[in-house]
Amino acid sequence: MDNRTLGRTGVRVSPLCLGAMMFGAWGNPDHEDSTRIIHRALDAGINFVDTADVYSSGESEEIVARPQGAPKPRGAGDQGPRDDGPRPEPTGHSRRWIIEECEKSLRRLDTDWIDLYQIHRPDRVVTSTRHSGR
């Protein structure tokens, strides 16, 4: 599979991305089955995986990190607005929230980096200028 550059990042990714939203309680609770799907995608040359902190409450990220002997795929994190309880800014798009959730994702994914971390949908409360620091 011919890899492509991800935007202007210089990161080379496969043109196909494995979507991991249904790994875990939201879809397929069988971790071994999800692991087989990941291995099949990696064997086919896919090195780009879309997962998110909200997919099965982080379980999807843990499944993606799990396959033994598999090269770590390039990561695409996806962070969506939600309310996990009392916080100063419970929408999930404040700069502080994004950093905290990204750090949790790194731990669940058992990696030191995420190549792409994006906001899933706009937030009516927190503007893009506020979370990007611009």
Side-chain angles (χ1 to χ4, degrees), residues 2-122:
D2 291 329
N3 289 342
R4 300 177 182 168
T5 304
L6 179 64
R8 292 177 289 182
T9 66
V11 174
R12 304 284 296 167
V13 295
S14 54
L16 300 176
C17 178
L18 174 63
M21 183 175 92
M22 301 308 288
F23 292 169
W26 281 14
N28 186 355
D30 183 345
H31 288 209
E32 295 304 318
D33 191 37
S34 296
T35 298
R36 281 191 292 277
I37 292 168
I38 294 167
H39 276 290
R40 187 148 184 202
L42 292 169
D43 290 345
I46 294 173
N47 70 346
F48 191 30
V49 177
D50 170 45
T51 189
D53 61 343
V54 297
Y55 296 168
S56 298
S57 300
E59 184 182 5
S60 169
E61 292 175 322
E62 292 168 353
I63 293 169
V64 167
R66 190 165 178 247
Q68 297 297 315
K72 286 283 185 204
R74 304 309 299 202
D78 199 4
Q79 198 253 350
R82 65 175 193 264
D83 186 352
D84 282 348
R87 282 188 144 181
E89 297 184 56
T91 61
H93 285 185
S94 70
R95 186 173 186 276
R96 177 180 176 185
W97 184 293
I98 290 170
I99 290 169
E100 286 178 11
E101 292 305 315
C102 187
E103 288 172 351
K104 289 177 189 175
S105 289
L106 288 167
R107 283 192 294 278
R108 284 190 295 265
L109 289 164
D110 189 28
T111 190
D112 296 328
W113 78 89
I114 298 171
D115 292 304
L116 171 66
Y117 195 79
Q118 66 186 17
I119 302 294
H120 190 76
R121 64 179 61 90

